[in-house]
């Protein structure tokens, strides 16, 4: 199975595998994403990035060698501005599961997320993958708009609570056919 490259670029960004010495810095960036818990009901995990680095964020029966967590850097100043987490070969061998994409909230709305996903689509297509899947909280309207605008317009399922309330949560799995 071909994995996304350890290092790849877009016009303004460099994406590369997370290094152990970057874990604390990237955890700080991840911490700024904890506002998303209002949409998905998850608890903030102060060890999430460390766990991803050493154990991966794997699907059922997943293998660590099929997982990548990468940093997103601005080419201009080399600053880490985001995180990308990917599992290759789930739920089928020709699928890539984009587990997490986050751009630091202080610089969102500048096209960095769209730039990452556009280049990611090119990279995964060149590696022979047929689809990219993502999971989005139904209450996360900004993310739903972003992913649908990015061409993730096939729905494979809705998962979570059956009834809507302020304390219930559900996710939509979206697919982009390559």
């Amino acid at each position: 199975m071909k994995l996304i490259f350890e290092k790849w670029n877009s016009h303004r960004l460099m994406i590369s595998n997370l290094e152990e010495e970057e874990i604390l810095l990237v955890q700080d960036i991840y911490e700024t994403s904890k506002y998303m818990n209002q949409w998905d009901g998850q608890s903030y995990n102060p060890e999430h990035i460390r766990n991803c680095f050493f154990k991966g964020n794997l699907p059922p029966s997943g293998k660590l060698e099929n997982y990548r967590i990468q940093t997103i850097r601005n080419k201009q100043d080399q600053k880490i501005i985001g995180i990308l987490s990917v599992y290759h070969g789930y739920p089928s061998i020709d699928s890539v599961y984009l587990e997490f994409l986050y751009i630091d909230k202080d610089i969102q709305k500048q096209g960095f997320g769209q730039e990452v996903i556009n280049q990611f689509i090119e990279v995964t297509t060149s590696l022979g993958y047929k689809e990219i899947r993502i999971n989005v909280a139904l209450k996360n309207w900004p993310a739903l708009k972003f992913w649908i605008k990015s061409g993730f317009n096939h729905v494979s399922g809705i998962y979570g609570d059956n009834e809507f309330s302020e304390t219930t949560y559900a996710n939509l799995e979206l697919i982009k056919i390559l």
Side-chain angles (χ1 to χ4, degrees):
M1 176 179 318
K2 294 181 180 178
L3 304 182
I4 58 171
F5 311 119
E6 291 183 18
K7 294 181 179 184
W8 49 286
N9 296 304
S10 66
H11 177 67
R12 299 179 292 169
L13 304 169
M14 299 179 309
I15 299 89
S16 61
N17 285 356
L18 176 69
E19 302 291 334
E20 188 171 357
E21 62 272 8
E22 298 170 324
I23 291 173
L24 290 176
L25 174 62
V26 173
Q27 182 68 40
D28 287 344
I29 294 170
Y30 176 76
E31 183 172 348
T32 65
S33 77
K34 67 182 175 183
Y35 69 89
M36 292 189 294
N37 300 136
Q38 66 187 321
W39 296 317
D40 65 12
Q42 302 289 318
S43 298
Y44 169 71
N45 178 356
E47 294 293 315
H48 179 73
I49 300 300
R50 179 175 300 286
N51 292 342
C52 287
F53 183 81
F54 288 107
K55 300 175 189 173
N57 197 0
L58 310 179
S61 303
K63 299 175 183 174
L64 184 57
E65 61 264 21
N66 293 352
Y67 176 78
R68 288 252 163 99
I69 183 167
Q70 298 187 315
T71 59
I72 302 167
R73 292 181 189 274
N74 188 329
K75 281 183 182 178
Q76 190 173 36
D77 60 10
Q78 306 294 308
K79 182 179 177 190
I80 296 175
I81 63 165
I83 310 160
L84 179 72
S85 177
V86 179
Y87 190 84
H88 304 78
Y90 181 82
S92 66
I93 196 76
D94 60 355
S95 300
V96 175
Y97 212 100
L98 204 160
E99 187 264 329
F100 188 72
L101 171 62
Y102 181 72
I103 301 294
D104 190 328
K105 72 176 185 167
D106 293 335
I107 59 166
Q108 289 178 1
K109 307 260 188 250
Q110 295 181 34
F112 291 119
Q114 197 65 59
E115 187 172 326
V116 169
I117 197 61
N118 289 343
Q119 190 64 36
F120 183 76
I121 289 166
E122 282 188 36
V123 168
T124 53
T125 300
S126 73
L127 293 173
Y129 289 98
K130 303 293 183 215
E131 67 178 20
I132 302 170
R133 291 181 181 232
I134 57 163
N135 196 25
V136 183
L138 285 175
K139 292 182 179 181
N140 188 348
W141 290 16
L144 284 169
K145 288 170 59 178
F146 172 83
W147 291 112
I148 291 168
K149 178 182 168 188
S150 299
F152 288 76
N153 50 21
H154 292 80
V155 176
S156 64
I158 299 174
Y159 308 96
D161 296 318
N162 290 327
E163 295 188 26
F164 174 80
S165 77
E166 287 198 25
T167 59
T168 57
Y169 304 93
N171 295 313
L172 187 65
E173 186 179 70
L174 297 173
I175 302 171
K176 175 162 181 69
I177 306 297
L178 302 176

